[in-house]
Amino acid sequence: MANMALPIDGVLRSHTGAPIYQGIALYKLLSDNNKIFLLSNDKKIDERWLREQKLKGYDDMIGPEAPNSFEDRLYAQVLHARNSSVGAFELAVVPDPAVAAKLLAVGITTLLFLQPFYIKEEFRPDSRKGVRSWAEIVDELEKQQDSFSEDPRIQ
């Protein structure tokens, strides 16, 4: 039986609170023959959400009380658990490439879980948030061209 760390936010639950079904499928697959340690932002809220989603079978929940968790919470939680009674993790699943790189650097096998359907809306190519009108784009282009033509360094 292997120890595995899996964050609730970003793998099981989106930033809107909706379940990420691919992450839940991964959780169910991994929880069959392994010890699953869920990484939580708020144990009380997360335990309720897990009950609502009928997700059982995890061995423990690691809360935000890990030292230095204000910097990289997931990284700090995994290291804190590894250095406590949990022991070594054979796998850590994370939704953040920067955290994955840090965990790999300290020798923890890492699975990077990326789900494009649940990234923040303003970063999606089909987002209407932050979209500028054509007139605004033309005005900006003209302004930049005027600045360019008046720049004495380019003359």
Side-chain angles (χ1 to χ4, degrees), residues 21-36:
Y21 295 107
Q22 295 86 350
I24 290 174
L26 178 65
Y27 165 80
K28 288 180 179 180
L29 180 71
L30 293 175
S31 66
D32 278 346
N33 295 316
N34 299 296
K35 288 185 174 183
I36 301 294

Side-chain angles (χ1 to χ4, degrees), residues 2-7 30 39 75 78-79 82 87-94 99-113:
N3 290 342
M4 301 195 176
L6 192 91
L30 293 175
L39 308 177
Y75 178 72
V78 171
L79 290 186
R82 182 182 74 169
F89 283 106
E90 281 74 16
L91 179 69
V93 180
V94 294
V99 174
K102 286 182 175 184
L103 291 172
L104 287 169
V106 296
I108 297 174
T109 303
T110 305
L111 175 66
L112 185 58
F113 181 85

Side-chain angles (χ1 to χ4, degrees), residues 130-144:
V131 175
R132 299 190 307 175
S133 69
W134 186 253
E136 288 177 34
I137 294 171
V138 169
D139 291 340
E140 179 66 25
L141 183 59
E142 289 174 355
K143 181 179 146 189
Q144 288 181 14

Side-chain angles (χ1 to χ4, degrees), residues 20-86:
I20 301 174
Y21 295 107
Q22 295 86 350
I24 290 174
L26 178 65
Y27 165 80
K28 288 180 179 180
L29 180 71
L30 293 175
S31 66
D32 278 346
N33 295 316
N34 299 296
K35 288 185 174 183
I36 301 294
F37 296 88
L38 296 177
L39 308 177
S40 168
N41 285 332
D42 184 323
K43 284 185 176 183
K44 188 175 180 180
I45 291 171
D46 290 340
E47 284 174 349
R48 178 181 174 158
W49 187 84
L50 290 167
R51 280 194 310 275
E52 289 170 355
Q53 304 305 316
K54 297 177 179 56
L55 292 175
K56 302 173 186 172
Y58 60 92
D59 292 279
D60 198 4
M61 189 177 298
I62 300 166
E65 63 274 354
N68 300 321
S69 63
F70 57 88
E71 291 174 11
D72 280 327
R73 183 185 51 81
L74 293 177
Y75 178 72
Q77 284 175 312
V78 171
L79 290 186
H80 176 68
R82 182 182 74 169
N83 296 332
S84 67
S85 61
V86 173

